[in-house]
Amino acid sequence: MTDLNIQDLDDNALFELAKKFDDADEDEKALPILEKLSEKGHAMAQSYLATYYECGFAGLEVNLKKAFDLYLKSAEQGCTDSMVFLGELYQTGKSPEGENYEKAVEWYEKAKQLGSSKALLNIGHLYLDGKYYEKNWQKACDCYLEAMEKANEDDDKGYAALCLGIVFEENEQLEKAFGYYKQAAGLGEAKAYLHLGLLYNTGQGIEKDYYKAFDYFSLAYDNGIECADYCLGEAYLLGRGTAVNYEKAMQLYEESAENGKTHALLRLGEMYHEGKACEKNDEKAVALYRQAAEDGNEKAELMMEVLQPFLIDESLLLDRLTDKLIQVAQKPNMRKSFSVSYDAGGGRFTTLFFYKNKPPMSLAEQFFMAAYYIDQLEWVATLEDIPVELLTIAFDRTGKWLKQVEEENTEKELYLRCHQSMIEIYSKIGNEKGAEHHRAEYEKWTHCDPKPYSVKHNTFDDFYGRAEKQDWVAMSVLSVCYHSGILVRENIRLSELWKKMAKSTYHYFEPNGKPFEEEFAEIEVAVIGKDID
């Protein structure tokens, strides 16, 4: 429409045009029309423009003072919507005076006397929450019923029916609740789909029907209703109203978790623990359980009570170890001795000591992790009832780290502690064969003298020893190894530390006169290309 055509329209026609732009989400086109009409005192235009300032539509900065003033001008001309919006500003504390329930109700009552269904809905809410009126669900229902009768638009009628359904469901009048939810759904209230699905899913107030529940959950999900993703995930996980589909369930749980639903985190933890739709991963499972427990999920809290000693995941433990190794690496005579303390669960703290001529940086990680999980085995051995989940995590993790330490044959004490705990665990669960096996292993290690630790040429530990002697090339090799995960677990912080030390040492000696970055790049290519022994 041209500017000439617009100029030919009267104020009411102009407002209808602005509404069309607003309904089509073309706020920037609606804004100049609303501003022009507001200046002329058009009540509905003032109400719309106030909403633009309240919500920051059409690129406007949120300005609650302007919104309040425009709502007030509009309300004084008899606009009931503005009266309700003024009441809401007072109720939520967004008015210039802050929170004021008395003034909020005063505006709601004015709008109610003029037949506003929105005002009746808000008064009904106040009877339910008890923040102004004394709680009275029957009076709330009366307000919602009157709102349904007076509402001119299906949206308001549908919302009032939804509110009635919720009130009757909370008061265990399920047949009435079902009837109002059906009425709300018929009027296009999408939230009613979720409530109908839940009633069909549980058989409350209606005959249980998983297929109808699935259809309603799907409708709610398609309309973006909160929690519908979780309910659909449950249907796919348990095969209710549809075929079992773990992949689809996991996708829906992930969506629900992103929206802050703790029960979805719990389900995801169970799926990772059981290996459904994914590779079994206890670390992820524990992390998800922990997150759900921190958000107040009671079932997750129960799981955490059992899994508490395993809450510190490997990445966190290694990060703590990195802090200690950085401290050590920045001191002269770095491998003389150092210790690392950590929370072993159940209020116990454990300290590991590393001494000169014992495993340096690469093997220190293996020693540290193996010792940590053996501490957990010792804790498991003290339990009266041993949960299967706990045994699985303990055995899997301990076995992995013990194997790495065993290949280097570096620490007899680890094996003695491990086999002693295993004897106690197998004896407790009645597996005498397993207990006997570990008794034999314990006896073997009691009389075993491990091979002394030795460093082979051009190994990670060899380069580490040379780095201690201010060899900038060896320092550079260590940096590349930590950065690329060659012969040692990837650790960017240690990589940066060694590169910084190499650069500092290189500039001190200036051996070749070339820029350090060129020399480092050549070493990086050589290390990655040859993948050192």
Side-chain angles (χ1 to χ4, degrees):
M1 183 175 286
T2 65
D3 290 340
L4 181 62
N5 296 139
I6 291 175
Q7 290 172 4
D8 292 339
L9 298 175
D10 62 25
D11 288 351
N12 289 331
L14 271 176
F15 176 69
E16 290 302 319
L17 176 61
K19 276 183 65 178
K20 287 182 180 179
F21 285 136
D22 183 78
D23 291 340
D25 292 329
E26 297 181 83
D27 299 342
E28 292 180 0
K29 291 183 179 179
L31 179 61
I33 301 174
L34 294 173
E35 289 177 328
K36 180 179 178 180
L37 292 173
S38 294
E39 289 174 4
K40 295 171 70 174
H42 193 286
M44 287 302 295
Q46 289 171 335
S47 184
Y48 268 67
L49 184 59
T51 302
Y52 276 41
Y53 277 111
E54 182 183 357
C55 303
F57 293 157
L60 292 173
E61 286 189 18
V62 172
N63 189 323
L64 295 177
K65 179 66 170 62
K66 280 188 177 181
F68 181 88
D69 291 343
L70 284 164
Y71 282 139
L72 184 59
K73 289 178 182 179
S74 176
E76 288 173 344
Q77 297 183 68
C79 177
T80 57
D81 282 352
S82 291
M83 294 176 188
V84 172
F85 294 142
L86 272 177
E88 290 174 353
L89 288 179
Y90 276 116
Q91 185 178 338
T92 57
K94 294 179 180 178
S95 77
E97 302 172 25
E99 184 182 286
N100 189 323
Y101 272 81
E102 285 189 8
K103 287 194 174 181
V105 171
E106 182 182 326
W107 281 110
Y108 292 152
E109 288 290 346
K110 285 181 180 180
K112 173 187 169 183
Q113 296 303 318
L114 294 172
S116 170
S117 60
K118 291 183 174 67
L120 283 162
L121 288 168
N122 282 2
I123 292 171
H125 298 337
L126 289 174
Y127 275 116
L128 281 185
D129 64 28
K131 290 184 178 178
Y132 182 78
Y133 302 112
E134 186 177 345
K135 280 190 177 184
N136 189 319
W137 72 271
Q138 190 59 60
K139 285 187 177 181
C141 285
D142 292 341
C143 288
Y144 297 147
L145 282 168
E146 190 177 348
M148 280 188 71
E149 293 171 2
K150 292 185 175 180
N152 295 319
E153 298 177 4
D154 285 350
D155 285 352
D156 289 340
K157 288 180 183 291
Y159 180 64
L162 174 71
C163 292
L164 283 164
I166 292 172
V167 172
F168 281 117
E169 184 179 357
E170 288 178 351
N171 285 276
E172 299 182 359
Q173 297 186 31
L174 299 175
E175 289 186 11
K176 284 187 176 181
F178 178 79
Y180 280 114
Y181 286 145
K182 286 285 285 186
Q183 195 170 347
L187 291 165
E189 177 54 62
K191 289 182 180 178
Y193 299 142
L194 180 66
H195 288 279
L196 286 169
L198 291 169
L199 290 180
Y200 274 118
N201 196 59
T202 58
Q204 292 181 307
I206 191 72
E207 186 178 350
K208 185 182 292 187
D209 190 326
Y210 290 137
Y211 292 96
K212 286 184 179 179
F214 180 82
D215 290 341
Y216 277 118
F217 289 148
S218 298
L219 283 170
Y221 178 76
D222 292 341
N223 281 274
I225 301 303
E226 189 177 356
C227 289
D229 41 19
Y230 177 79
C231 294
L232 268 184
E234 291 287 277
Y236 280 113
L237 178 70
L238 304 172
R240 291 178 174 173
T242 185
V244 171
N245 187 328
Y246 293 144
E247 288 77 13
K248 188 70 176 176
M250 174 164 271
Q251 174 195 331
L252 288 160
Y253 288 139
E254 286 173 343
E255 288 181 28
S256 184
E258 286 176 5
N259 293 327
K261 301 304 173 187
T262 58
H263 37 253
L265 292 169
L266 182 66
R267 277 298 198 205
L268 284 172
E270 291 171 354
M271 293 187 80
Y272 275 111
H273 180 64
E274 296 170 12
K276 290 179 177 176
C278 59
E279 189 174 334
K280 181 178 171 63
N281 189 323
D282 287 320
E283 290 182 13
K284 282 189 176 181
V286 168
L288 288 161
Y289 286 146
R290 183 198 304 123
Q291 189 178 346
E294 289 172 352
D295 289 342
N297 186 287
E298 292 183 2
K299 188 174 180 182
E301 288 176 2
L302 183 62
M303 287 294 293
M304 286 302 91
E305 190 174 327
V306 173
L307 297 171
Q308 184 65 38
F310 294 89
L311 281 180
I312 301 177
D313 59 31
E314 293 175 6
S315 61
L316 179 58
L317 286 171
L318 289 171
D319 195 52
R320 292 184 180 184
L321 181 61
T322 295
D323 290 333
K324 196 67 177 181
L325 296 181
I326 286 176
Q327 294 175 27
V328 173
Q330 290 173 326
K331 296 177 181 178
N333 196 14
M334 288 177 285
R335 281 165 59 195
K336 185 174 182 180
S337 69
F338 67 96
S339 63
V340 179
S341 297
Y342 61 94
D343 186 349
R348 297 188 304 113
F349 284 83
T350 298
T351 301
L352 296 179
F353 293 93
F354 297 86
Y355 298 100
K356 187 177 178 68
N357 299 324
K358 285 294 180 80
M361 302 296 251
S362 62
L363 292 179
E365 291 181 353
Q366 296 172 18
F367 182 92
F368 180 77
M369 296 306 295
Y372 174 78
Y373 287 115
I374 289 171
D375 281 343
Q376 307 319 309
L377 276 182
E378 293 174 353
W379 176 81
V380 171
T382 66
L383 297 178
E384 292 183 9
D385 297 315
I386 305 174
V388 175
E389 294 88 352
L390 203 59
L391 284 176
T392 301
I393 295 174
F395 290 170
D396 288 351
R397 291 185 170 186
T398 306
K400 178 180 72 172
W401 288 102
L402 268 180
K403 187 174 185 299
Q404 289 182 281
V405 174
E406 184 176 358
E407 288 172 353
E408 301 295 340
N409 203 11
T410 56
E411 186 52 66
K412 173 179 176 179
E413 180 61 28
L414 288 180
Y415 293 98
L416 291 175
R417 289 170 54 199
C418 176
H419 291 302
Q420 181 61 46
S421 298
M422 297 294 275
I423 292 168
E424 294 180 32
I425 289 171
Y426 277 117
S427 297
K428 190 172 295 182
I429 62 178
N431 188 334
E432 186 54 36
K433 185 177 180 181
E436 189 58 40
H437 168 76
H438 286 285
R439 286 193 193 96
E441 289 295 308
Y442 183 86
E443 187 66 22
K444 182 181 76 174
W445 276 97
T446 300
H447 300 96
C448 174
D449 291 322
K451 299 175 184 177
Y453 180 76
S454 61
V455 177
K456 296 180 182 178
H457 184 62
N458 273 0
T459 59
F460 179 93
D461 296 337
D462 177 41
F463 284 112
Y464 187 90
R466 287 153 55 183
E468 288 183 315
K469 299 174 182 177
Q470 304 301 307
D471 184 330
W472 68 270
V473 174
M475 293 177 186
S476 299
V477 171
L478 292 179
S479 175
V480 175
C481 287
Y482 273 113
H483 189 272
S484 303
I486 297 174
L487 297 183
V488 69
R489 182 184 286 259
E490 180 183 309
N491 191 317
I492 301 302
R493 292 170 63 202
L494 283 175
S495 172
E496 292 172 352
L497 168 72
W498 282 114
K499 184 174 181 180
K500 181 179 179 182
M501 292 175 67
K503 185 176 182 179
S504 175
T505 307
Y506 179 83
H507 285 162
Y508 180 78
F509 290 109
E510 295 184 351
N512 301 325
K514 291 169 62 177
F516 170 76
E517 292 297 337
E518 288 184 17
E519 293 279 8
F520 185 85
E522 291 177 8
I523 293 170
E524 186 175 30
V525 170
V527 171
I528 294 175
K530 294 181 181 179
D531 199 359
I532 63 172
D533 297 335

